[in-house]
Amino acid sequence: MDLDHLFHNVVRALAHLNELGHSLPVVEYRAKVKLHGTNCAIQRAGDGVVAQSRTALLSLDADHKGFAGWVHTHRAYFSSLERDLVVFGEWCGPGVERGMERAAAALNGRVAEVEREDPWVKRELGISGLGEGLVLYPVLVDRAAPSLEQVERLMFKAKGEKHRTAGTRAAVLVDAAVVASIEELAALMVTEARLQQALGEVCGGVRDPRATGSFLAWVVADVRKESVAELEASNLSWAQVEKAVQARARAWFLARKEAV
C-alpha cells in the first residue's frame, strides 16, 4: 500500500477520474493512529530469525534503533513461526467543496490530538508520548467493500506539525500548496523532518561524509515522489527544482556533526 498519499493527492486523483467520465464515489473512512516510529521487519528464514530495517538486514553489531536487539531477545517466539514468513510493522517507543473543507478541519483537529498524545501507545503500552498522526483508509465505497485498487487510490496519511515532511500549514489540505518560486518549493518540501528521516534511514542518525551521495539521492527521490501535486499546482517541472532541492539538502547535511 502507498502510504505517501496526502488528502489533496486523493482529491486530485478523483477529480481527474471525474473529468474522464467516472462518477465520484461516496467513501466511508476509518482512521488508525499513525505510529511515530520506523518501518522494520522480521524474517523467519531457514532455521533462524533475521531482523531488518526498511533498507538493510540488521544484527546486534549493526542495529537500527534497538530493533535487532529486541528481536534477539524474543527470538524463541519468532523461531516458532513458520519458515519463509516475513512480518512487517512499525517499531516505535520512547526516544472540493465547503463540506470537504469542514471534513478537513475536523481531521486536522483529530491529528492535533494524536500528536499531543498517542492514544494507542497510551492504551496498549501505558506510555504517554508524542504521536505522529493518522492513516485513513476506506472501509466502504458507495456502500460496498472497496477493491484493493480503490484502497490504494483513496487511503491517505495526515501527520502532525512536528512530523510533517512538507512545510504545509495544516496536516489535511483540500488543494495542493502553490508556491511562487523554485526556492520556495524547495523550502516547502525539504523540511527538518524529512532531512532527519533521511539521516536516520541512510546514516543511522549521524552524518557520515561517505554517505553524502546516498543521503542526497534519498532526499531527492522522496521529494520527487511527494511533490507531484505541488509542482503541478505551481506550474513547475521537476527538472526546474531538482538542483534547488539537492542544494538545500546538501547544505543541511554538511552542517551536521560527523560520527566520532
Side-chain angles (χ1 to χ4, degrees):
M1 298 296 179
D2 185 356
L3 290 184
D4 293 320
H5 274 71
L6 299 176
F7 185 56
H8 65 259
N9 298 128
V10 174
V11 172
R12 175 172 168 269
L14 289 178
H16 178 66
L17 289 173
N18 188 238
E19 290 172 356
L20 295 176
H22 297 270
S23 60
L24 292 174
V26 176
V27 184
E28 181 177 319
Y29 277 96
R30 179 174 295 157
K32 64 177 182 178
V33 174
K34 190 177 190 307
L35 299 176
H36 179 39
T38 182
N39 186 262
C40 291
I42 302 162
Q43 296 184 23
R44 176 66 173 90
D47 294 325
V49 175
V50 180
Q52 70 175 66
S53 67
R54 187 193 297 264
T55 57
L57 297 179
L58 305 175
S59 68
L60 294 178
D61 296 325
D63 206 344
H64 178 61
K65 302 183 185 297
F67 182 67
W70 181 83
V71 172
H72 179 76
T73 301
H74 297 84
R75 62 189 181 281
Y77 170 78
F78 293 111
S79 294
S80 68
L81 302 179
E82 62 182 272
R83 295 182 181 182
D84 300 321
L85 180 70
V86 182
V87 181
F88 288 89
E90 194 78 359
W91 175 240
C92 64
V96 225
E97 299 294 336
R98 290 183 179 179
M100 187 171 291
E101 290 170 0
R102 287 196 295 270
L107 284 174
N108 282 320
R110 293 184 62 185
V111 170
E113 291 176 4
V114 169
E115 186 169 50
R116 282 192 292 272
E117 181 175 72
D118 188 315
W120 187 90
V121 172
K122 177 69 173 180
R123 183 179 68 249
E124 300 296 328
L125 305 179
I127 299 173
S128 180
L130 200 68
E132 184 169 338
L134 297 172
V135 174
L136 290 101
Y137 56 98
V139 293
L140 292 176
V141 177
D142 293 329
R143 299 184 179 183
S147 65
L148 179 60
E149 181 182 359
Q150 288 173 320
V151 172
E152 292 178 334
R153 182 191 304 143
L154 295 172
M155 70 187 305
F156 63 94
K157 64 183 180 182
K159 293 185 178 182
E161 182 179 3
K162 297 179 177 64
H163 299 95
R164 268 174 239 150
T165 52
T168 54
R169 66 184 183 275
V172 179
L173 297 174
V174 174
D175 299 308
V178 179
V179 300
S181 68
I182 291 171
E183 288 301 326
E184 190 177 336
L185 189 285
L188 177 73
M189 302 305 298
V190 186
T191 59
E192 180 72 18
R194 174 168 274 128
L195 294 166
Q196 289 287 0
Q197 183 181 355
L199 191 69
E201 293 285 347
V202 177
C203 305
V206 184
R207 183 171 78 90
D208 182 348
R210 296 170 297 181
T212 302
S214 298
F215 173 85
L216 293 178
W218 192 101
V219 174
V220 166
D222 199 53
V223 171
R224 183 173 188 177
K225 177 178 62 178
E226 293 205 12
S227 63
V228 174
E230 287 78 7
L231 287 169
E232 183 180 281
S234 304
N235 198 27
L236 292 170
S237 69
W238 176 248
Q240 289 175 293
V241 304
E242 182 176 6
K243 287 184 179 180
V245 167
Q246 192 170 99
R248 192 176 183 87
R250 182 188 297 275
W252 184 91
F253 187 74
L254 295 180
R256 307 295 297 179
K257 291 184 179 179
E258 295 182 22
V260 178

